[in-house]
Structures are given as C-alpha cells and as structure tokens.
Amino acid sequence: MRTAKGDGRIAFAYLAPALLVLVGLMGYPIYQLVLISLFDYGQEQVSGGAPLTFLGLDNYATLLSQSRFWAVLGQTVAFAAACVVGTLLVGAALAVLATRVRTWARMTLFLAALGAWATPAVAGSTIWLFLFDANFGFVNEVLGTTGMSWTYEKWTAFGLVAAQVIWCSFPFVMVTLYAGIKAIPGEVLEAAALDGASTVRTATRVILPLLRPLLIVVTIQSIIWDFKVFTQIYIMTNGGGIAGRNLVLNVYAYQQAFAASEYGLGASIGVVTTVLLLLITLGYLRALRRSGEVL
Amino acid sequence: MNRRASRGIAEGVVVVVAAVVAFPLYWMVLTALKPEAEVISTDPRPWTLAPTLDSFVRALTVQNFGRYLLNSVVVAVAVVALSLLISFLAATALTRFRFRSRTTLLVMLLVVQMVPVEALTIPLFFVMRSVRDVVPVFGLNHLGSLVLVHLAFSLPFAIWMLRGFVAAVPVELEEAATLDGASRFRFLWQVLFPLVAPGLVATSVLSFIHAWNDFLFAKTFIISAAENQTLPLALQVFVKPDQNDWGAIMAGSTVMTIPVLVFFILVQRRLVAGLAGAVKS
C-alpha cells in the first residue's frame, strides 16, 4: 500500500462515482424515509393539493397501537426464523452428504441446486403456485387432494412460501459449506482419527469450529434475505393473502404506502423493519464476539 | 455397515434429493411444452406425448413480450457494466491507498448492505419522481430509474467482494510497472484489471441477477409506460383473476430462467472461487 503524497486526492477520484451513487440513492433515501415517516403524507400531499403536516412520532404511535402491526411483526419473525432454520439445516445436511458420495452423484445434486438457485424469484414463485394449484396442480394429483387450495389457509400459504424460499436459498448455503469442508486439510482429520476421536466428536470438536466463520456468514446472509422476502409473498399470496393474513413487514409497508396511499405510515413501517434488521445483525455479531469469535 | 453400502445409501439419497430439487424446473419446461388442453387438465401427467411450442409463441408474441425481454437485457447489461467499472475503481481506492476515513467507509459499506432495500421503495419513488423533471431518462417510467437503483444496491457488495481480489495483487507488481514507466492509469487497466478478472466475473453475476430478477422496483417505478416494463412484470400479464394462462406463464418463466442458468453454469467455478475469496477476506 502506497502512502505517497497526493494519494488522498487520487483515491477520492476513484471513489467519487461510487460515493455519488451511494449517497444519492441510498444515503439520501434513508434520510428521506425517516423524514417521510414523521409526516402525514397521503395522496393529497403527494399531488401537492394539501400542505404537509408534521406529525412527529404520531405515525409510530398509530402503528404500535394497531393489533394488525403486532400480528404482522410476529408473523414476519416466525416466518423468517422458519426459513433461516430450514435453509441452514437443508444446506448443511446436503453439504455433508455431498462429501460422502462419488463425483457423478455430487454433480447431479449440484446441477439441480444450481437450477433452483438460478431461477428468478418471480418465475420460481409462479412455478410453485402452479405445482400446488387447486385444480391443475401436480401435488394435489399425487396426494389425491384435488381441489385443496394451499394458498387459502393462512398456515399452508406460509408453509408453501417458506418451502419455495428454502428451495431457492439452500444452494448458496450448501455450496459455501461444501467448499468450506473441502478446504479442511486432510491431516487434521487424520490426526483426529489417530487420536481415536469418534465421528461425532470429530464433527463437533474439529470440523464445526473450523467451519464457524463460514457458518456465521451464511447465517447472517440468510437472516437478511429471509427477513425481507417480498416477491414470493407478493406473488404467491396475491399481495399478502386473503384479508392480509399472510403479510410480512415489507409487503405491509408497501401496501400501506402504494395501495392505501399512506406514505407516512408505510415509511414508519420501513424504519421499524430497518432498525429491527440492524439490531438482529448487530446482536448476533455481539453474541459471537462474546463467545470469543474473531471477525 | 461397510463403507460401500453406506456410500450407496448416501448416493441414493442424493439422487432422490436432486430429483426433488430439479422437479419444479422440469415441471416448468414440461408445462411450457404441453398443449393447452393438457395444461388445464385436472388429471396432470408428468409427461406429454404431444409437445408443442404454442405456449412459447403465445408468450413471445402476445403483449409485447419481446420488448420486455429486451428491456430486461438492457437494464441488466447496463447495471453490470457500470457496477464493474465503479466498484473496480472504488475497490482499488480502498485497498491500495491509505487515507483518512478509509475504515469509516469500509464500515459504512457493510452497514449499508444490511439496510432492507424494500424499505427504501417509498423514498426512492419520490426521488425518481423528482429526477423525472430534471433528467427524464433516469426518472419514473424509464429504464434508467431501474439501472440507477440496481446499481446502488449492487455496489456495496461488489466493492466489498472485489476488495479481496485487488488486495491479493502484490504491491511489487505495481512498483515494477511504475519503474517500467507505466502510468497509474495504464497500470490500473492493463495490469490490475485483468488480474482481478475472477472477482469481476463473480461480481458481475451477482449484479446481473440482482437486476434481472427485480420485481419490486419495476412494479413501483414503471407505472404508466407499459412499453418500458421488464420481464418479471410481463409475466404477470398472463395472471388473470378468472383463468391464468399457465402455459404462457411457464413459457415466459422458462425464457426468463434460461439466461441466468446459462450464466451460472458458465461461471460456476469462478463464482464459487469468488464466494470463497469473499468469505476468506
């Protein structure tokens, strides 16, 4: 790394385009989001037909007094947690399994996973919807439950969306962990075997600690992705389910803003989501730091 | 149980899992190829004896699908090109120069990645509305607005990822290039750029997918100019309250998935290396 004079100026020139884009399209909108959430911002205010009224924290007070908000919040957390746990379990189990089989079997699995990974969320959502369609769906045909509408009941709808989310996100976890396991030097495992360690002991005392940094990365990624699922919920439950039974915070904020023209309220939901996500990630990082993990 | 038997069982499980994972994609292509009557049969069979391209023809000719496809390509290519260029410069600045506020910038890049982009839809909608009055091409109802948001959202991760690759290039190489009389600019494009190619590939895949898959911003920003809509939204044209045209939806989904799949298969090695590189650094 050079520290010659004038470096600062050149570095700034290199950074300028990135800073311009990031400040303009992330920094400023974040500030705007908070600002909008403090106002009574509806259709009339947007079109300029009515003056803006500063509400302070009123939007937040309204939000926190709604039972709907708390229900959606609970749903979001439960749904995201189920998706994260499912993704990690499936991904990790298959990564381990992939180390135990010959190349042809591993390639078959990886190719299938690559397909699921590459499928755009919109396409994936519609495929799953069609597979589970009440009348023309293959799943109902196989289960002999023709006419069963998976998206009608709240929990089957959430389950279906979760299954789709896990389907398209486990490949990342699997591939990353597989690469991690393969990177463990053979000598380490041999030494463990020589010392008479059992398979379970080797897995928990040798492999797991070595994989921990990778596990942290995939867990954080999964939390961030699954907490803000939008496309799948929007498409598979047709905008949040019947009477909004399948809303998660993101879709709720969107509906409040763009469907109900309550931009201020929608923005306050956005602020709450952002804060929650930051708290979860930071809390997780702190817990790791306390357990002696170096990041 | 001996080793071979246990490996046999593991392979059996792996094949079954692979079949289940691939099944939705098989069903997508199969449905796209089935004749209409078989698609809306209440007795769906996992094969077809009368494959036809009718659904593809319907999907591609009806409703301007070709135009939507082109729009998606334009947005994705622009995002990839711009994000490569900008993130390469930024990553170089952050790894090869030492200046005040460098660490602050790095931390900011990490934090920004945690911000749920969906929450920013509301303010970005207003930003794009004002941009429309200044530079129409980058405002609401124009593809430029999509390029800008996807660029912003793919940059933090792209910069973060490229950093490791740029840092891996030895300083001696730069010194040698300088001694040979290469300008900073020449070193940047003729030495550094090719050397971080694997990182650039991994980064471009992620930026591409980001832009290609977007549903939310296309839905929010392209409100009245249907001719500027992108693929994910075009797919919704075939979703109707009374009767979905499943054949056309699946044909459209196939058209939409194939470019990503091809891209993935072409770069899978480098992608994995890139992910591992990003994880390591």
Side-chain angles (χ1 to χ4, degrees):
Chain A
M1 196 169 297
R2 299 203 282 197
T3 48
K5 235 183 162 185
D7 263 12
R9 227 177 312 144
I10 297 169
F12 181 74
Y14 285 5
L15 276 171
L19 288 179
L20 197 69
V21 173
L22 288 176
V23 170
L25 291 155
M26 294 211 70
Y28 179 68
I30 291 172
Y31 159 77
Q32 278 272 304
L33 181 74
V34 177
L35 203 64
I36 294 171
S37 77
L38 302 176
F39 282 90
D40 177 18
Y41 214 121
Q43 195 51 52
E44 282 118 51
Q45 284 77 16
V46 172
S47 58
L52 274 179
T53 328
F54 182 74
L55 291 180
L57 296 175
D58 277 11
N59 278 327
Y60 294 92
T62 313
L63 205 61
L64 300 187
S65 64
Q66 280 178 358
S67 59
R68 156 63 59 93
F69 167 76
W70 293 103
V72 172
L73 178 65
Q75 263 160 228
T76 310
V77 174
F79 173 76
C83 290
V84 170
V85 171
T87 306
L88 289 177
L89 283 182
V90 173
L94 291 177
V96 171
L97 205 57
T99 61
R100 301 285 175 86
V101 298
R102 276 169 293 182
T103 315
W104 67 265
R106 189 166 54 242
M107 282 337 253
T108 312
L109 177 64
F110 279 23
L111 210 61
L114 210 60
W117 194 359
T119 309
V122 170
S125 302
T126 36
I127 299 166
W128 277 69
L129 263 190
F130 184 54
L131 269 174
F132 285 81
D133 188 80
N135 301 312
F136 317 125
F138 186 66
V139 172
N140 277 339
E141 172 76 9
V142 170
L143 298 178
T145 49
T146 306
M148 152 100 178
S149 174
W150 295 81
T151 49
Y152 185 76
E153 292 288 335
K154 177 176 176 177
W155 294 109
T156 52
F158 264 131
L160 184 59
V161 180
Q164 201 281 338
V165 169
I166 294 171
W167 175 72
C168 63
S169 48
F170 89 84
F172 166 75
V173 176
M174 180 183 80
V175 171
T176 313
L177 290 184
Y178 175 78
I181 296 174
K182 290 310 268 188
I184 295 173
E187 301 90 70
V188 176
L189 301 179
E190 271 167 41
L194 278 178
D195 289 345
S198 66
T199 315
V200 177
R201 223 179 138 78
T202 312
T204 53
R205 292 297 168 84
V206 182
I207 300 180
L208 210 56
L210 286 172
L211 278 186
R212 199 177 283 188
L214 270 188
L215 281 170
I216 294 166
V217 173
V218 294
T219 310
I220 294 182
Q221 284 294 349
S222 300
I223 293 174
I224 293 178
W225 284 338
D226 296 346
F227 210 87
K228 31 181 232 196
V229 164
F230 180 90
T231 309
Q232 280 95 340
I233 289 274
Y234 197 90
I235 289 181
M236 296 179 77
T237 70
N238 196 11
I242 296 147
R245 283 195 296 230
N246 291 99
L247 285 173
V248 290
L249 283 176
N250 262 328
V251 185
Y252 189 37
Y254 187 87
Q255 299 289 33
Q256 284 295 326
F258 294 101
S261 286
E262 292 276 4
Y263 295 94
L265 203 59
S268 64
I269 303 173
V271 172
V272 171
T273 318
T274 310
V275 170
L276 269 177
L277 208 57
L278 287 176
L279 284 180
I280 292 173
T281 323
L282 292 178
Y284 186 65
L285 289 178
R286 260 190 60 181
L288 286 168
R289 183 98 41 86
R290 225 175 300 134
S291 71
E293 197 70 47
V294 193
L295 280 167
Chain B
M1 198 172 8
N2 67 37
R3 241 185 118 117
R4 264 180 84 169
S6 83
R7 190 177 70 186
I9 293 173
E11 282 172 352
V13 174
V14 161
V15 170
V16 171
V17 170
V20 172
V21 170
F23 190 75
L25 290 174
Y26 168 71
W27 200 253
M28 168 183 83
V29 178
L30 176 76
T31 309
L33 291 172
K34 273 181 177 177
E36 180 99 55
E38 276 186 48
V39 173
I40 48 164
S41 148
T42 47
D43 180 25
R45 280 169 308 172
W47 68 81
T48 179
L49 298 175
T52 158
L53 292 175
D54 281 0
S55 295
F56 283 96
V57 173
R58 244 186 1 271
L60 290 172
T61 52
V62 174
Q63 314 278 3
N64 235 351
F65 203 82
R67 175 68 193 260
Y68 299 144
L69 181 65
L70 184 70
N71 288 344
S72 271
V73 171
V74 167
V75 172
V77 169
V79 169
V80 168
L82 287 172
S83 92
L84 277 187
L85 183 72
I86 298 177
S87 63
F88 173 61
L89 285 176
T92 307
L94 288 171
T95 41
R96 306 195 83 87
F97 298 103
R98 198 179 281 286
F99 53 93
R100 244 180 300 153
S101 67
R102 194 175 133 264
T103 325
T104 320
L105 280 176
L106 284 173
V107 173
M108 292 296 283
L109 281 180
L110 261 190
V111 174
V112 156
Q113 286 182 49
M114 294 170 195
V115 174
V117 297
E118 292 79 0
L120 295 184
T121 326
I122 301 166
L124 279 169
F125 174 77
F126 292 118
V127 169
M128 291 310 172
R129 217 170 57 121
S130 359
V131 169
R132 183 181 55 184
D133 302 331
V134 193
V135 202
V137 195
F138 291 114
L140 286 187
N141 282 326
H142 287 277
L143 292 178
S145 62
L146 298 179
V147 173
L148 282 185
V149 284
H150 298 317
L151 184 61
F153 294 140
S154 56
L155 271 186
F157 188 68
I159 298 173
W160 194 257
M161 194 151 168
L162 269 183
R163 227 171 48 95
F165 289 89
V166 178
V169 176
V171 184
E172 292 76 33
L173 216 62
E174 192 169 350
E175 285 162 357
T178 316
L179 280 179
D180 287 345
S183 67
R184 251 186 216 282
F185 194 69
R186 255 189 92 154
F187 166 76
L188 200 63
W189 296 113
Q190 299 197 332
V191 183
L192 201 54
F193 197 75
L195 280 174
V196 296
L200 294 170
V201 170
T203 313
S204 61
V205 174
L206 295 167
S207 312
F208 175 85
I209 290 170
H210 207 113
W212 188 260
N213 292 358
D214 165 64
F215 169 74
L216 177 61
F217 286 100
K219 183 179 170 56
T220 316
F221 289 175
I222 314 293
I223 23 179
S224 55
E227 74 280 5
N228 283 339
Q229 204 46 277
T230 52
L231 269 187
L233 263 291
L235 219 52
Q236 300 306 304
V237 166
F238 301 104
V239 177
K240 301 194 180 84
D242 46 338
Q243 180 67 68
N244 294 342
D245 184 350
W246 286 113
I249 295 175
M250 291 302 133
S253 299
T254 308
V255 171
M256 191 177 165
T257 305
I258 284 172
V260 192
L261 199 58
V262 170
F263 209 166
F264 254 64
I265 290 172
L266 283 179
V267 300
Q268 43 128 345
R269 267 169 207 283
R270 288 189 160 181
L271 178 66
V272 172
L275 285 174
V279 167
K280 251 181 271 158
S281 65

mmCIF file of all heavy atoms in Angstrom, chain B residues 19-50:
data_model
loop_
_atom_site.group_PDB
_atom_site.id
_atom_site.type_symbol
_atom_site.label_atom_id
_atom_site.label_comp_id
_atom_site.label_asym_id
_atom_site.label_seq_id
_atom_site.Cartn_x
_atom_site.Cartn_y
_atom_site.Cartn_z
ATOM 1 N N ALA B 19 -33.519 -35.000 -7.615
ATOM 2 C CA ALA B 19 -34.729 -35.094 -8.430
ATOM 3 C C ALA B 19 -35.815 -34.164 -7.893
ATOM 4 O O ALA B 19 -36.479 -33.457 -8.647
ATOM 5 C CB ALA B 19 -35.221 -36.539 -8.451
ATOM 6 N N VAL B 20 -35.977 -34.148 -6.567
ATOM 7 C CA VAL B 20 -36.994 -33.281 -5.962
ATOM 8 C C VAL B 20 -36.666 -31.808 -6.225
ATOM 9 O O VAL B 20 -37.532 -31.014 -6.593
ATOM 10 C CB VAL B 20 -37.093 -33.544 -4.432
ATOM 11 C CG1 VAL B 20 -37.998 -32.504 -3.766
ATOM 12 C CG2 VAL B 20 -37.604 -34.944 -4.177
ATOM 13 N N VAL B 21 -35.387 -31.449 -6.067
ATOM 14 C CA VAL B 21 -34.977 -30.057 -6.250
ATOM 15 C C VAL B 21 -35.177 -29.619 -7.707
ATOM 16 O O VAL B 21 -35.603 -28.507 -7.992
ATOM 17 C CB VAL B 21 -33.501 -29.871 -5.827
ATOM 18 C CG1 VAL B 21 -32.985 -28.497 -6.242
ATOM 19 C CG2 VAL B 21 -33.366 -30.054 -4.322
ATOM 20 N N ALA B 22 -34.893 -30.537 -8.633
ATOM 21 C CA ALA B 22 -34.996 -30.173 -10.044
ATOM 22 C C ALA B 22 -36.423 -30.251 -10.562
ATOM 23 O O ALA B 22 -36.740 -29.696 -11.613
ATOM 24 C CB ALA B 22 -34.086 -31.082 -10.875
ATOM 25 N N PHE B 23 -37.299 -30.938 -9.799
ATOM 26 C CA PHE B 23 -38.644 -31.179 -10.308
ATOM 27 C C PHE B 23 -39.422 -29.919 -10.701
ATOM 28 O O PHE B 23 -40.009 -29.884 -11.786
ATOM 29 C CB PHE B 23 -39.460 -32.012 -9.316
ATOM 30 C CG PHE B 23 -40.758 -32.475 -9.896
ATOM 31 C CD1 PHE B 23 -40.791 -33.516 -10.814
ATOM 32 C CD2 PHE B 23 -41.950 -31.827 -9.572
ATOM 33 C CE1 PHE B 23 -41.982 -33.914 -11.379
ATOM 34 C CE2 PHE B 23 -43.148 -32.232 -10.146
ATOM 35 C CZ PHE B 23 -43.174 -33.273 -11.053
ATOM 36 N N PRO B 24 -39.432 -28.855 -9.886
ATOM 37 C CA PRO B 24 -40.170 -27.655 -10.303
ATOM 38 C C PRO B 24 -39.708 -27.115 -11.651
ATOM 39 O O PRO B 24 -40.537 -26.669 -12.451
ATOM 40 C CB PRO B 24 -39.885 -26.659 -9.177
ATOM 41 C CG PRO B 24 -39.637 -27.513 -7.984
ATOM 42 C CD PRO B 24 -38.921 -28.722 -8.509
ATOM 43 N N LEU B 25 -38.407 -27.210 -11.917
ATOM 44 C CA LEU B 25 -37.899 -26.719 -13.201
ATOM 45 C C LEU B 25 -38.352 -27.621 -14.348
ATOM 46 O O LEU B 25 -38.704 -27.151 -15.427
ATOM 47 C CB LEU B 25 -36.375 -26.623 -13.174
ATOM 48 C CG LEU B 25 -35.841 -25.511 -12.283
ATOM 49 C CD1 LEU B 25 -34.334 -25.575 -12.196
ATOM 50 C CD2 LEU B 25 -36.286 -24.161 -12.819
ATOM 51 N N TYR B 26 -38.335 -28.944 -14.070
ATOM 52 C CA TYR B 26 -38.823 -29.886 -15.070
ATOM 53 C C TYR B 26 -40.288 -29.581 -15.376
ATOM 54 O O TYR B 26 -40.701 -29.526 -16.524
ATOM 55 C CB TYR B 26 -38.666 -31.324 -14.554
ATOM 56 C CG TYR B 26 -39.399 -32.339 -15.386
ATOM 57 C CD1 TYR B 26 -38.947 -32.670 -16.665
ATOM 58 C CD2 TYR B 26 -40.571 -32.939 -14.916
ATOM 59 C CE1 TYR B 26 -39.636 -33.588 -17.439
ATOM 60 C CE2 TYR B 26 -41.266 -33.847 -15.693
ATOM 61 C CZ TYR B 26 -40.802 -34.171 -16.955
ATOM 62 O OH TYR B 26 -41.488 -35.068 -17.727
ATOM 63 N N TRP B 27 -41.045 -29.336 -14.332
ATOM 64 C CA TRP B 27 -42.478 -29.076 -14.481
ATOM 65 C C TRP B 27 -42.719 -27.789 -15.274
ATOM 66 O O TRP B 27 -43.635 -27.690 -16.072
ATOM 67 C CB TRP B 27 -43.138 -29.001 -13.103
ATOM 68 C CG TRP B 27 -44.616 -29.209 -13.181
ATOM 69 C CD1 TRP B 27 -45.579 -28.267 -13.021
ATOM 70 C CD2 TRP B 27 -45.298 -30.441 -13.454
ATOM 71 N NE1 TRP B 27 -46.816 -28.822 -13.188
ATOM 72 C CE2 TRP B 27 -46.675 -30.165 -13.452
ATOM 73 C CE3 TRP B 27 -44.866 -31.750 -13.722
ATOM 74 C CZ2 TRP B 27 -47.635 -31.145 -13.690
ATOM 75 C CZ3 TRP B 27 -45.827 -32.719 -13.956
ATOM 76 C CH2 TRP B 27 -47.188 -32.417 -13.939
ATOM 77 N N MET B 28 -41.851 -26.807 -15.035
ATOM 78 C CA MET B 28 -41.951 -25.542 -15.765
ATOM 79 C C MET B 28 -41.784 -25.770 -17.270
ATOM 80 O O MET B 28 -42.627 -25.350 -18.074
ATOM 81 C CB MET B 28 -40.877 -24.567 -15.258
ATOM 82 C CG MET B 28 -40.674 -23.335 -16.118
ATOM 83 S SD MET B 28 -39.343 -22.287 -15.481
ATOM 84 C CE MET B 28 -37.905 -23.095 -16.177
ATOM 85 N N VAL B 29 -40.703 -26.465 -17.641
ATOM 86 C CA VAL B 29 -40.433 -26.697 -19.057
ATOM 87 C C VAL B 29 -41.505 -27.600 -19.661
ATOM 88 O O VAL B 29 -42.013 -27.340 -20.756
ATOM 89 C CB VAL B 29 -39.025 -27.313 -19.249
ATOM 90 C CG1 VAL B 29 -38.760 -27.607 -20.710
ATOM 91 C CG2 VAL B 29 -37.975 -26.379 -18.690
ATOM 92 N N LEU B 30 -41.889 -28.625 -18.910
ATOM 93 C CA LEU B 30 -42.914 -29.558 -19.394
ATOM 94 C C LEU B 30 -44.219 -28.814 -19.671
ATOM 95 O O LEU B 30 -44.824 -28.974 -20.733
ATOM 96 C CB LEU B 30 -43.134 -30.665 -18.353
ATOM 97 C CG LEU B 30 -44.251 -31.651 -18.674
ATOM 98 C CD1 LEU B 30 -43.790 -32.623 -19.753
ATOM 99 C CD2 LEU B 30 -44.684 -32.421 -17.434
ATOM 100 N N THR B 31 -44.650 -28.001 -18.712
ATOM 101 C CA THR B 31 -45.901 -27.266 -18.872
ATOM 102 C C THR B 31 -45.832 -26.324 -20.070
ATOM 103 O O THR B 31 -46.799 -26.169 -20.806
ATOM 104 C CB THR B 31 -46.227 -26.471 -17.596
ATOM 105 O OG1 THR B 31 -46.147 -27.345 -16.485
ATOM 106 C CG2 THR B 31 -47.603 -25.855 -17.664
ATOM 107 N N ALA B 32 -44.658 -25.721 -20.242
ATOM 108 C CA ALA B 32 -44.492 -24.799 -21.366
ATOM 109 C C ALA B 32 -44.630 -25.535 -22.702
ATOM 110 O O ALA B 32 -45.041 -24.941 -23.696
ATOM 111 C CB ALA B 32 -43.137 -24.111 -21.278
ATOM 112 N N LEU B 33 -44.298 -26.823 -22.698
ATOM 113 C CA LEU B 33 -44.329 -27.592 -23.943
ATOM 114 C C LEU B 33 -45.644 -28.349 -24.152
ATOM 115 O O LEU B 33 -45.904 -28.878 -25.234
ATOM 116 C CB LEU B 33 -43.162 -28.588 -23.968
ATOM 117 C CG LEU B 33 -41.762 -27.975 -24.095
ATOM 118 C CD1 LEU B 33 -40.702 -29.046 -23.919
ATOM 119 C CD2 LEU B 33 -41.591 -27.285 -25.443
ATOM 120 N N LYS B 34 -46.467 -28.430 -23.101
ATOM 121 C CA LYS B 34 -47.722 -29.172 -23.208
ATOM 122 C C LYS B 34 -48.743 -28.405 -24.048
ATOM 123 O O LYS B 34 -48.781 -27.186 -24.010
ATOM 124 C CB LYS B 34 -48.327 -29.378 -21.813
ATOM 125 C CG LYS B 34 -47.834 -30.597 -21.076
ATOM 126 C CD LYS B 34 -48.544 -30.689 -19.732
ATOM 127 C CE LYS B 34 -48.137 -31.936 -18.972
ATOM 128 N NZ LYS B 34 -48.775 -31.970 -17.633
ATOM 129 N N PRO B 35 -49.591 -29.147 -24.753
ATOM 130 C CA PRO B 35 -50.702 -28.454 -25.417
ATOM 131 C C PRO B 35 -51.680 -27.928 -24.355
ATOM 132 O O PRO B 35 -51.800 -28.507 -23.263
ATOM 133 C CB PRO B 35 -51.339 -29.545 -26.274
ATOM 134 C CG PRO B 35 -50.803 -30.838 -25.783
ATOM 135 C CD PRO B 35 -49.523 -30.566 -25.065
ATOM 136 N N GLU B 36 -52.334 -26.848 -24.713
ATOM 137 C CA GLU B 36 -53.245 -26.151 -23.801
ATOM 138 C C GLU B 36 -54.163 -27.077 -22.985
ATOM 139 O O GLU B 36 -54.278 -26.951 -21.772
ATOM 140 C CB GLU B 36 -54.093 -25.175 -24.630
ATOM 141 C CG GLU B 36 -55.093 -24.369 -23.828
ATOM 142 C CD GLU B 36 -54.571 -22.986 -23.520
ATOM 143 O OE1 GLU B 36 -54.204 -22.284 -24.469
ATOM 144 O OE2 GLU B 36 -54.517 -22.617 -22.328
ATOM 145 N N ALA B 37 -54.787 -28.021 -23.669
ATOM 146 C CA ALA B 37 -55.763 -28.889 -23.011
ATOM 147 C C ALA B 37 -55.118 -29.706 -21.890
ATOM 148 O O ALA B 37 -55.724 -29.935 -20.845
ATOM 149 C CB ALA B 37 -56.409 -29.824 -24.025
ATOM 150 N N GLU B 38 -53.865 -30.127 -22.104
ATOM 151 C CA GLU B 38 -53.191 -30.918 -21.072
ATOM 152 C C GLU B 38 -52.781 -30.073 -19.877
ATOM 153 O O GLU B 38 -52.712 -30.553 -18.757
ATOM 154 C CB GLU B 38 -51.936 -31.587 -21.662
ATOM 155 C CG GLU B 38 -52.219 -32.887 -22.385
ATOM 156 C CD GLU B 38 -50.938 -33.560 -22.815
ATOM 157 O OE1 GLU B 38 -50.016 -33.686 -21.995
ATOM 158 O OE2 GLU B 38 -50.852 -33.938 -24.007
ATOM 159 N N VAL B 39 -52.490 -28.784 -20.159
ATOM 160 C CA VAL B 39 -52.061 -27.889 -19.073
ATOM 161 C C VAL B 39 -53.191 -27.704 -18.068
ATOM 162 O O VAL B 39 -52.999 -27.758 -16.864
ATOM 163 C CB VAL B 39 -51.611 -26.519 -19.630
ATOM 164 C CG1 VAL B 39 -51.344 -25.549 -18.493
ATOM 165 C CG2 VAL B 39 -50.376 -26.678 -20.492
ATOM 166 N N ILE B 40 -54.415 -27.508 -18.607
ATOM 167 C CA ILE B 40 -55.541 -27.277 -17.695
ATOM 168 C C ILE B 40 -56.362 -28.537 -17.512
ATOM 169 O O ILE B 40 -57.584 -28.499 -17.355
ATOM 170 C CB ILE B 40 -56.429 -26.105 -18.165
ATOM 171 C CG1 ILE B 40 -56.756 -26.263 -19.639
ATOM 172 C CG2 ILE B 40 -55.756 -24.772 -17.911
ATOM 173 C CD1 ILE B 40 -57.924 -25.390 -20.086
ATOM 174 N N SER B 41 -55.648 -29.659 -17.507
ATOM 175 C CA SER B 41 -56.334 -30.902 -17.204
ATOM 176 C C SER B 41 -56.327 -31.085 -15.699
ATOM 177 O O SER B 41 -55.353 -30.757 -15.023
ATOM 178 C CB SER B 41 -55.601 -32.054 -17.886
ATOM 179 O OG SER B 41 -55.710 -33.224 -17.116
ATOM 180 N N THR B 42 -57.436 -31.608 -15.144
ATOM 181 C CA THR B 42 -57.469 -31.824 -13.695
ATOM 182 C C THR B 42 -56.788 -33.139 -13.346
ATOM 183 O O THR B 42 -56.794 -33.567 -12.204
ATOM 184 C CB THR B 42 -58.920 -31.840 -13.175
ATOM 185 O OG1 THR B 42 -59.691 -32.673 -14.035
ATOM 186 C CG2 THR B 42 -59.489 -30.440 -13.145
ATOM 187 N N ASP B 43 -56.205 -33.758 -14.368
ATOM 188 C CA ASP B 43 -55.509 -35.026 -14.155
ATOM 189 C C ASP B 43 -54.104 -34.884 -14.748
ATOM 190 O O ASP B 43 -53.780 -35.522 -15.745
ATOM 191 C CB ASP B 43 -56.309 -36.132 -14.867
ATOM 192 C CG ASP B 43 -55.665 -37.491 -14.715
ATOM 193 O OD1 ASP B 43 -54.921 -37.675 -13.730
ATOM 194 O OD2 ASP B 43 -55.888 -38.355 -15.593
ATOM 195 N N PRO B 44 -53.280 -33.986 -14.174
ATOM 196 C CA PRO B 44 -51.984 -33.673 -14.795
ATOM 197 C C PRO B 44 -51.041 -34.875 -14.782
ATOM 198 O O PRO B 44 -50.922 -35.562 -13.771
ATOM 199 C CB PRO B 44 -51.432 -32.535 -13.927
ATOM 200 C CG PRO B 44 -52.124 -32.682 -12.621
ATOM 201 C CD PRO B 44 -53.463 -33.270 -12.900
ATOM 202 N N ARG B 45 -50.399 -35.113 -15.933
ATOM 203 C CA ARG B 45 -49.445 -36.206 -16.007
ATOM 204 C C ARG B 45 -48.037 -35.660 -16.164
ATOM 205 O O ARG B 45 -47.847 -34.623 -16.814
ATOM 206 C CB ARG B 45 -49.790 -37.103 -17.199
ATOM 207 C CG ARG B 45 -50.920 -38.064 -16.912
ATOM 208 C CD ARG B 45 -51.366 -38.707 -18.198
ATOM 209 N NE ARG B 45 -51.653 -37.690 -19.207
ATOM 210 C CZ ARG B 45 -51.917 -37.987 -20.482
ATOM 211 N NH1 ARG B 45 -51.872 -39.221 -20.895
ATOM 212 N NH2 ARG B 45 -52.181 -37.016 -21.341
ATOM 213 N N PRO B 46 -47.037 -36.341 -15.584
ATOM 214 C CA PRO B 46 -45.663 -35.815 -15.631
ATOM 215 C C PRO B 46 -44.960 -36.070 -16.955
ATOM 216 O O PRO B 46 -43.763 -36.248 -16.993
ATOM 217 C CB PRO B 46 -44.972 -36.538 -14.470
ATOM 218 C CG PRO B 46 -45.767 -37.767 -14.257
ATOM 219 C CD PRO B 46 -47.156 -37.510 -14.711
ATOM 220 N N TRP B 47 -45.682 -36.145 -18.038
ATOM 221 C CA TRP B 47 -45.056 -36.262 -19.355
ATOM 222 C C TRP B 47 -46.037 -35.713 -20.374
ATOM 223 O O TRP B 47 -47.192 -35.434 -20.048
ATOM 224 C CB TRP B 47 -44.724 -37.722 -19.666
ATOM 225 C CG TRP B 47 -45.935 -38.574 -19.862
ATOM 226 C CD1 TRP B 47 -46.699 -38.692 -20.996
ATOM 227 C CD2 TRP B 47 -46.567 -39.398 -18.880
ATOM 228 N NE1 TRP B 47 -47.751 -39.532 -20.782
ATOM 229 C CE2 TRP B 47 -47.707 -39.991 -19.498
ATOM 230 C CE3 TRP B 47 -46.295 -39.722 -17.555
ATOM 231 C CZ2 TRP B 47 -48.564 -40.865 -18.827
ATOM 232 C CZ3 TRP B 47 -47.145 -40.596 -16.894
ATOM 233 C CH2 TRP B 47 -48.262 -41.155 -17.522
ATOM 234 N N THR B 48 -45.610 -35.566 -21.600
ATOM 235 C CA THR B 48 -46.546 -35.197 -22.660
ATOM 236 C C THR B 48 -46.158 -35.924 -23.931
ATOM 237 O O THR B 48 -44.978 -36.116 -24.209
ATOM 238 C CB THR B 48 -46.577 -33.679 -22.904
ATOM 239 O OG1 THR B 48 -47.488 -33.425 -23.970
ATOM 240 C CG2 THR B 48 -45.215 -33.117 -23.275
ATOM 241 N N LEU B 49 -47.167 -36.363 -24.660
ATOM 242 C CA LEU B 49 -46.902 -37.086 -25.903
ATOM 243 C C LEU B 49 -47.067 -36.173 -27.106
ATOM 244 O O LEU B 49 -46.799 -36.555 -28.230
ATOM 245 C CB LEU B 49 -47.853 -38.290 -26.023
ATOM 246 C CG LEU B 49 -47.685 -39.327 -24.906
ATOM 247 C CD1 LEU B 49 -48.729 -40.430 -25.017
ATOM 248 C CD2 LEU B 49 -46.273 -39.923 -24.940
ATOM 249 N N ALA B 50 -47.536 -34.947 -26.846
ATOM 250 C CA ALA B 50 -47.759 -34.024 -27.957
ATOM 251 C C ALA B 50 -47.117 -32.662 -27.688
ATOM 252 O O ALA B 50 -47.818 -31.677 -27.555
ATOM 253 C CB ALA B 50 -49.263 -33.868 -28.193
#
